Structures are given as C-alpha cells and as structure tokens.
C-alpha cells in the first residue's frame, strides 16, 4: 500500500470476500469472524434483506441532496427514534459526536463538556477533544477548549457536574478503552446530577448500540434516559452512516442552516439502515440475549480461569479478554489468524471480540475453543 498514508497497522492479508459469518482472504484462506468489521457487520456479510434493500435503491437513485424531502430518511428516523426524539443523519461515529457536541453547546449556551478518561469518541477535532486517551490526542494541540475529564466509574465525577456544564458525554461500556462496563449506580447518579443541574446527558452508543449488548441501545439495560444518543457502525451494517438522536426540545437549536453534511442521510446508507432496523425486532434481540447467556457461561467457566487471562469483561456480544502482559494481544491475534479466526484488540492488552449477532451458539463455541487453544 505504497500510496496510502500509514495511519493503520495492518495485518498482511486482504479480506476480499464475505459470506454470512465468514471472510476469505486474497490467498483463499477462510476465517470465522469475531470482529464484525469493528462492530459494524452485526448481520454478517451477506444478509439478504440488507442486500436486497441496497440493490433496489441502487437501481432507483444513488444520491440526492438534503434540499429535498426524503421518505427513506423519515422511515429510518421512525425506526430509530421514540415519540419524543428526532434524528440527524451523518456518515460516521465521530460526526455523530460532533453533532452532539455542537448541539449541546448551542442549546445550553454553555461551552464546557465533561468526558471520561479512557473514553473514545472519534478522531475529528471535537470528538478527539472529548476522547480521554493522550496517545490519540498527542501532536494535535490545540484541541477544542472547555473539555474536562474525570475517571470512569469514580464518584469524584459527580462533584464536577454543576450548572456551568453544557453536557456530560460517556459510553456505558468503554469499547476502545478495553471493554470496561460502567457501574449502574454510578450511571444513575451521573444522570441525576445532570438533571439537577440542567446539564445534557449524551450517551455514545456508536459501538454498544444496535443490538450489540442484547438491547437496541446498551443504556436501556442501565435504566437511563439520555438527552442525546449517538449511533453509527452497526446501524448501516457496513454502509457509512452516523446518527445523532436527540430529544425534540433540542430542535430549537438545530434549525435550517445550523448544521449539515452532503452525504448525511444518503439513500444508499438509509436503505441499508432500514434493512438493519427492520430486523432488530424484540424476537431478534431476545435471541441475542439467549445466545449471550450461553456465551458468557462459557467465557466465565473456560476462558476466565486460564493463566494468561486476568479478567473477562463486557456485556452481550461485546467481550474483552484481558491478557497477561506476557502475551501481547497482537501475538494472540496473529496466532488466531493462523487458526482461521479473526479477532480485535482494545487498549490495556485486551483481546476484543465483537462477533456478528447472527452467529449461532455452535459457532460461538467453536471460536471460543480456538481462543482457548492458543491461550
Ligand atoms: C464509542 C465510539 N465512539 C465513536 C467512534 C468513532 O466512530 P467512527 O470511526 O465511525 O468515526 C467509535 C469508533 O470506534 C467508538 O467506538
């Protein structure tokens, strides 16, 4: 890749074909997929409904600007939002968080946002400025001002929430940070402090959302009611998409001309998202929950006790296997490639698993057996 900026550390093969939960590389080797892209292709690589929707849209029209009404945007927004919410469509997770950041400042008339150490919200300036990882921010100063950080799951954060803040932004599970799950009581206290002080609560569901943890959004399992939700990744099952979902009251700050993007809400991505959301039924989510129980029973009984494993964290189909320092996670991933399994890493030497939600218990077991064999 001579003429591509070396921004990614890439493994030396090209995944050229995908079918269901399998990917095949340029050498003809087939892998069982425990990555879903990075939490994107939750319905696998050849879901018929999504394929049909996208192909049908391709035959009609690819691109229309946002200067006209769009039935398909409306359809997706109706599937995504509840009665009190509105959606703004963009193209990625970082853009969804940019929209949330801008909206929070404009609506409240305040500038300061509280974010969390070890959190991740994206790579553009606003989202990077909200990202609590010095390695990601290094060399890019000056960042967007007025962002404060607190430790995740730490009650000291509550002392920082006062009526000078515009918003608090957090992930209920820090994905890139190492698959750390927030404490339910802590989240409830954060939400209460936000309500008491007129501060907006933004929940970044870019990685945790769209069924990944067994509910449409992960925050539902923590009993939260955020003012703003950001989504992307699995919402398009591979077509580029982002969405910011906000309470209707916020619309006063996001009128015509206030925010926009050329490709946001484009009909190709909307066709794909419609295919995703129509399949994200209560029955489908119940099947993910049932398979998760099976998966976690095996993770706890067979993976957690291994010598090389210090902990296993996560929820549903979002799993972090924390490895002992003697086994660098990249070495583990490479060994798993040899055995025909694709996995991911996260911060703190974590082997991260984000299998497609359509994977059967049998195939989940097969992947875990492979992981066990190399650990
Ligand atoms: C929680 C979270 N927020 C935001 C992002 C950024 O999304 P994107 O890469 O689509 O900009 C990611 C990507 O990994 C993420 O995990």
């Amino acid at each position: 890749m001579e003429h591509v900026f070396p921004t990614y550390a890439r493994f030396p093969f090209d995944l050229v074909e995908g079918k269901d939960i399998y990917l095949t590389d340029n050498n003809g080797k087939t892998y069982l997929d425990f990555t879903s892209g990075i939490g994107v292709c939750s319905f696998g690589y050849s879901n018929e409904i999504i394929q049909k929707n996208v192909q049908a849209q391709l035959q009609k029209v690819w691109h229309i600007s946002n200067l006209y009404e769009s039935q398909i945007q409306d359809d997706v927004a109706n599937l995504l939002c509840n009665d009190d919410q509105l959606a703004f469509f963009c193209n990625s997770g970082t853009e969804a968080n940019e929209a949330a950041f801008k909206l929070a400042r404009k609506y409240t008339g305040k500038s300061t946002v509280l974010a969390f150490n070890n959190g991740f919200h994206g790579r553009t300036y606003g989202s990077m400025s909200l990202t609590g990882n010095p390695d990601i921010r290094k060399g890019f100063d000056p960042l967007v001002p007025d962002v404060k950080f607190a430790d995740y799951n730490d009650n000291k954060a509550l002392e920082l929430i006062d009526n000078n803040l515009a918003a608090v932004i957090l992930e209920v599970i820090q994905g890139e940070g190492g698959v750390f799950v927030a404490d339910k009581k802590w989240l409830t206290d954060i939400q209460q402090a936000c309500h008491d002080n007129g501060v907006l609560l933004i929940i970044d569901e870019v990685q945790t959302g769209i069924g990944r943890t067994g509910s449409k959004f992960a925050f539902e399992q923590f009993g939260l009611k955020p003012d703003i939700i950001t989504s992307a990744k699995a919402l398009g099952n591979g077509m580029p998409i982002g969405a910011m979902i906000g309470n209707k009251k916020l619309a006063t700050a996001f009128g015509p001309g206030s925010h926009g993007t050329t490709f946001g809400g484009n009909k190709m991505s909307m066709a794909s998202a419609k295919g995703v959301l129509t399949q994200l039924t209560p029955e489908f989510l119940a099947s993910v929950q049932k398979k998760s129980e099976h998966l976690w029973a095996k993770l706890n009984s067979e993976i957690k006790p291994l010598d090389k494993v210090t902990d296993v964290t996560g929820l549903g189909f979002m799993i972090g296997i924390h490895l002992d320092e003697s086994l660098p996670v990249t070495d583990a991933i490479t060994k798993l490639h040899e055995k025909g399994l694709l996995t991911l890493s996260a911060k703190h030497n974590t082997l991260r698993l984000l299998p497609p939600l359509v994977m059967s218990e049998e195939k989940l077991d097969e992947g875990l057996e492979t992981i066990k064999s190399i650990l």
Side-chain angles (χ1 to χ4, degrees):
M1 300 188 68
E2 217 181 324
H3 293 285
V4 176
F5 271 110
T7 51
Y8 307 99
R10 296 175 191 263
F11 293 107
F13 53 90
D14 185 358
L15 295 162
V16 291
E17 222 179 299
K19 179 126 190 48
D20 194 21
I21 54 170
Y22 292 97
L23 286 158
T24 303
D25 74 12
N26 53 328
N27 302 309
K29 183 174 168 116
T30 295
Y31 303 82
L32 179 63
D33 177 48
F34 264 38
T35 69
S36 307
I38 304 179
V40 171
C41 298
S42 291
F43 285 90
Y45 297 93
S46 52
N47 180 270
E48 267 180 37
I49 294 175
I50 298 169
Q51 259 177 2
K52 243 192 225 161
N53 278 10
V54 172
Q55 276 163 359
Q57 189 60 51
L58 198 60
Q59 302 303 319
K60 286 187 199 160
V61 59
W62 298 7
H63 175 75
I64 289 295
S65 72
N66 278 309
L67 300 177
Y68 306 91
E69 290 204 342
S70 170
Q71 182 62 51
I72 198 161
Q73 266 189 40
D74 215 22
D75 293 346
V76 175
N78 288 341
L79 289 162
L80 203 51
C81 297
N82 67 30
D83 288 349
D84 301 324
Q85 292 171 328
L86 301 171
F88 171 83
F89 291 110
C90 48
N91 311 287
S92 63
T94 199
E95 281 180 67
N97 288 324
E98 291 289 337
F101 193 0
K102 285 180 71 175
L103 178 58
R105 279 186 167 181
K106 188 147 187 252
Y107 179 77
T108 62
K110 296 170 188 171
S111 63
T112 307
V113 174
L114 177 66
F116 290 92
N117 291 321
N118 203 48
F120 183 77
H121 300 293
R123 301 279 190 160
T124 50
Y125 258 96
S127 302
M128 177 176 62
S129 301
L130 297 168
T131 288
N133 179 344
D135 292 341
I136 284 173
R137 302 151 56 106
K138 198 172 151 196
F140 295 115
D141 283 342
L143 301 179
V144 175
D146 295 349
V147 180
K148 287 185 183 173
F149 288 94
D151 284 341
Y152 198 62
N153 275 338
D154 184 345
N155 283 335
K156 285 199 194 99
L158 299 169
E159 293 161 23
L160 297 175
I161 302 173
D162 59 28
N163 61 12
N164 294 312
L165 285 190
V168 171
I169 183 165
L170 56 84
E171 302 152 89
V172 296
I173 305 170
Q174 291 187 326
E176 300 300 309
V179 197
F180 292 110
V181 185
D183 178 69
K184 191 170 180 176
K185 163 91 171 59
W186 180 74
L187 285 173
T188 312
D189 290 347
I190 293 272
Q191 174 167 274
Q192 191 59 49
C194 286
H195 285 181
D196 293 347
N197 289 285
V199 174
L200 298 174
L201 178 61
I202 305 169
I203 298 197
D204 179 338
E205 288 271 356
V206 168
Q207 193 163 146
T208 49
I210 316 298
R212 176 58 46 197
T213 67
S215 48
K216 185 174 174 186
F217 293 113
F219 70 77
E220 294 166 22
Q221 296 182 56
F222 296 81
L224 302 174
K225 273 188 100 179
D227 302 284
I228 299 176
I229 304 150
T230 56
S231 180
K233 286 190 181 280
L235 179 57
N237 205 70
M239 293 295 283
I241 190 168
M244 179 200 64
I245 303 152
N247 191 285
K248 276 184 178 166
K249 70 180 180 196
L250 305 170
T252 52
F254 250 24
S258 55
H259 193 50
T261 164
T262 296
F263 292 121
N266 77 82
K267 290 183 196 286
M268 299 307 300
S269 297
M270 291 295 112
S272 180
K274 195 171 169 181
V276 168
L277 293 171
T278 49
Q279 292 180 85
L280 203 71
T281 58
E283 297 72 32
F284 178 79
L285 293 170
S287 80
V288 175
Q289 287 159 23
K290 186 171 166 289
K291 289 188 288 188
S292 299
E293 276 174 32
H294 176 86
L295 182 64
W296 279 92
K298 202 168 166 88
L299 283 163
N300 286 325
S301 65
E302 295 188 34
I303 303 292
K304 205 170 175 177
L306 299 173
D307 278 352
K308 296 277 182 212
V309 176
T310 57
D311 202 2
V312 182
T313 57
L315 188 67
F317 274 48
M318 185 167 177
I319 300 139
I321 301 176
H322 300 261
L323 300 178
D324 184 84
E325 276 173 20
S326 63
L327 176 58
V329 65
T330 314
D331 292 358
I333 292 173
T334 305
K335 284 196 181 112
L336 291 167
H337 287 162
E338 285 161 18
K339 294 197 172 260
L341 184 71
L342 297 174
T343 55
L344 297 160
S345 64
K347 232 181 138 200
H348 304 298
N349 209 34
T350 308
L351 181 67
R352 181 170 37 150
L353 313 178
L354 300 170
L357 304 181
V358 292
M359 192 175 284
S360 67
E361 288 182 7
E362 190 197 348
K363 290 293 160 192
L364 289 165
D365 283 353
E366 189 182 305
L368 290 190
E369 281 302 325
T370 307
I371 291 168
K372 196 175 159 189
S373 76
I374 68 112
L375 292 179

